[in-house]
Amino acid sequence: MPDIHSGKLFYFMRRLIYWIPCRNSFFRNVYRFRQQILNGYFDNLLLKPLPSLFHPLFGGSDVLDLLIVILSVVFIYYAGLHINNVTPLHVLTYILLVLNGFLISLGFHICVLGTGILSTAVDNTVMLYRDLTQMGRLPIEIYQEPLRGFITFVIPVGIMMTYPGQALMGLLSIQGIVLAFIFGFGLLFVSIQFWNFALRNYTSASN
């Protein structure tokens, strides 16, 4: 059985390969949102009996994305078996923080969509987000302050990518867990308010 250090390395490598595309694959349609506004397709979406955010966020999802999710779960589970002293509480906290990371990613993409309505500047914002998330491929401990604080609480790649792994290994404090959830739900609330503001100021493509 590998020791805890090899288990940590294996866990972070599996997250590097699988978890980043897993999260972003759900929001693939965001990359096409600018064109949908310019050609008037978004006007038709607003007439349908669905929440206004549903299609812009999830319209590009593919059933094959489930395969990525399954692979992610399998490899993370296998890596977790090789980390010593993992308790059910650690596993539960890890799952909740992964879901919280999904909320943070969701909130950011909603803000991107709202920005796209107001200025049609979607592509550059999304690509900037993708470039910044590449910094989360490695544990945030390798970065020096103030960069570490910036990528943890401002972007926040650290909360999304590193906090779940730290919680699984029992390295994350209660204060860090609470802060992560406050940030996740707070960002989601702010992003929805921003989306509603953008809708109120939206002028159709025909205008």
Side-chain angles (χ1 to χ4, degrees):
M1 179 73 66
D3 61 18
I4 185 171
H5 298 293
S6 60
K8 288 180 182 179
L9 177 61
F10 187 85
Y11 170 79
F12 283 118
M13 290 299 294
R14 289 304 140 193
R15 188 187 61 182
L16 180 154
I17 297 172
Y18 291 99
W19 180 237
I20 293 177
C22 174
R23 179 183 291 114
N24 291 336
S25 63
F26 288 103
F27 308 121
R28 192 176 293 118
N29 201 48
V30 174
Y31 301 87
R32 298 190 286 263
F33 186 63
R34 178 177 180 272
Q35 186 60 35
Q36 292 175 355
I37 291 180
L38 295 178
N39 62 23
Y41 182 69
F42 182 63
D43 295 353
N44 296 328
L45 294 178
L46 294 177
L47 299 176
K48 296 182 178 181
L50 287 173
S52 58
L53 272 170
F54 181 80
H55 191 277
L57 282 173
F58 305 112
S61 299
D62 193 288
V63 67
L64 294 178
D65 294 335
L66 293 177
L67 178 61
I68 300 178
V69 175
I70 294 173
L71 287 174
S72 300
V73 172
V74 170
F75 277 105
I76 290 173
Y77 174 77
Y78 181 78
L81 293 177
H82 293 75
I83 300 176
N84 297 329
N85 302 320
V86 175
T87 67
L89 180 60
H90 292 161
V91 174
L92 176 61
T93 306
Y94 168 80
I95 294 174
L96 292 177
L97 285 174
V98 167
L99 295 176
N100 184 69
F102 183 83
L103 291 182
I104 293 175
S105 181
L106 174 63
F108 178 84
H109 282 88
I110 293 175
C111 288
V112 170
L113 293 173
T115 303
I117 288 179
L118 297 176
S119 67
T120 68
V122 174
D123 298 338
N124 293 336
T125 308
V126 171
M127 298 314 296
L128 175 62
Y129 164 78
R130 294 194 64 178
D131 290 341
L132 291 174
T133 55
Q134 302 307 308
M135 301 179 70
R137 288 178 176 266
L138 298 173
I140 60 174
E141 288 80 8
I142 69 171
Y143 300 108
Q144 299 293 324
E145 296 290 354
L147 180 59
R148 182 191 304 177
F150 178 80
I151 66 175
T152 300
F153 302 109
V154 178
I155 301 178
V157 172
I159 294 178
M160 293 169 52
M161 308 293 293
T162 303
Y163 274 26
Q166 289 181 337
L168 183 64
M169 294 180 287
L171 302 178
L172 188 62
S173 66
I174 296 296
Q175 293 85 351
I177 295 173
V178 172
L179 181 63
F181 286 122
I182 291 176
F183 195 100
F185 284 98
L187 177 60
L188 182 62
F189 174 80
V190 171
S191 64
I192 292 176
Q193 298 304 311
F194 178 65
W195 170 259
N196 292 332
F197 168 80
L199 281 182
R200 289 193 296 267
N201 291 273
Y202 173 66
T203 56
S204 66
S206 60
N207 293 333

